[in-house]
Amino acid sequence: MRVEIWSDIACPWCYVGKARFEKALDVFPHRDQVEVVHRSFELDPGRAKGDIQPVITMLTRKYGMSEAQAQAGEDNLGAQAAAEGLDYRTHGRDHGNTFDMHRLLHLAKERGRQDALIQAFYRANFAEERSVFAEGDERLVELAVAAGLDADDVRGVLADPDAYADDVRADEREAAELGAGGVPFFVLDRRFGVSGAQPAEVFTQALTQAWGDRSPLQLIDEGDADACGPDGCAVPQH
């Protein structure tokens, strides 16, 4: 079974939702038969790469809330993250364009290191003091190497603005086609969708339902037809 997760590194509920989903997945009886793929979704796709501002400032301007309201929201997110065993800085974080990180996640998918990289990006953005935005490409290289990627491969992607750009845009178009207006958005075997950072119990229910709903193979057998098997291929004698 395949689970696809549309998310953005700048999305705190994606950070929390991933942890909740993984709690459910860890105890799922068929865990070893579940493939998890991370898909791209930018919450702020129109933001220029160099446009970096404090999270509180971004929230007040984007949603028209007061600084006190924005800080209260961050404090609540910090509590929600802590409940899942996650570190979360409620003060001093910044916000910026995530497109390059999404491009690197597609490189990481090809290298089998996608989950490690997205977790490194999440932790750097939400828990560590150093910014994933303000320090430039070398900060992303550092995180990617720590997640198991080759530094030259990473620098090559960052130096080429077209590298994996189409993959990111394709993910985003597909999210729209599936009706995902926000993230996190979980799609199980293209039959079930779960929107938002739901409790682990909801993910457990979704995994169980998706697994049980899988239609068994319907075999059409009209007699002894020629085929190849472990012992070789039957050769007609006439």
Side-chain angles (χ1 to χ4, degrees):
M1 183 167 68
R2 170 179 282 198
V3 178
E4 297 162 279
I5 308 174
W6 272 264
S7 58
D8 191 10
I9 292 84
C11 165
W13 287 118
C14 296
Y15 179 48
V16 173
K18 182 176 185 291
R20 291 175 177 173
F21 169 74
E22 287 175 346
K23 282 186 176 181
L25 187 60
D26 284 345
V27 297
F28 185 56
H30 309 287
R31 168 67 184 90
D32 292 342
Q33 298 176 64
V34 178
E35 176 192 13
V36 178
V37 178
H38 296 281
R39 301 290 191 191
S40 299
F41 190 108
E42 294 171 277
L43 290 173
D44 202 355
R47 181 177 291 271
K49 183 175 179 178
D51 184 3
I52 303 165
Q53 63 184 164
V55 166
I56 297 299
T57 301
M58 180 273 293
L59 292 172
T60 58
R61 293 179 179 176
K62 187 171 184 177
Y63 300 108
M65 59 179 65
S66 68
E67 287 192 7
Q69 289 172 319
Q71 187 58 59
E74 282 294 285
D75 292 340
N76 174 59
L77 278 162
Q80 298 272 356
E84 304 303 330
L86 301 172
D87 293 327
Y88 189 99
R89 292 180 64 222
T90 57
H91 293 78
R93 290 196 308 109
D94 58 10
H95 176 78
N97 181 286
T98 58
F99 188 63
D100 282 347
M101 283 182 267
H102 283 294
R103 295 196 299 121
L104 290 177
L105 285 168
H106 279 278
L107 168 68
K109 180 176 181 292
E110 289 187 352
R111 302 293 191 270
R113 304 301 301 167
Q114 192 184 43
D115 191 75
L117 183 58
I118 197 169
Q119 193 60 33
F121 283 159
Y122 277 146
R123 178 166 182 82
N125 187 39
F126 293 109
E128 297 178 3
E129 291 190 12
R130 293 175 61 194
S131 171
V132 293
F133 303 107
E135 295 190 26
D137 288 352
E138 282 307 303
R139 175 66 168 143
L140 300 185
V141 173
E142 174 189 321
L143 292 168
V145 169
L149 294 177
D150 179 79
D152 289 338
D153 288 347
V154 175
R155 290 192 180 98
V157 170
L158 293 172
D160 179 4
D162 293 328
Y164 299 102
D166 288 344
D167 299 273
V168 176
R169 299 304 184 212
D171 277 358
E172 293 173 337
R173 285 194 302 272
E174 196 164 15
E177 292 167 0
L178 290 170
V183 285
F185 188 70
F186 301 77
V187 176
L188 291 75
D189 257 0
R190 291 298 171 108
R191 289 195 303 277
F192 296 91
V194 179
S195 180
Q198 300 285 349
E201 294 78 11
V202 174
F203 289 118
T204 296
Q205 179 183 355
L207 286 165
T208 302
Q209 186 175 356
W211 184 270
D213 190 66
R214 299 196 308 167
S215 299
L217 179 67
Q218 298 296 312
L219 181 63
I220 299 174
D221 188 354
E222 297 295 340
D224 295 328
D226 295 326
C228 294
D231 298 323
C233 299
V235 179
Q237 299 302 308
H238 301 288

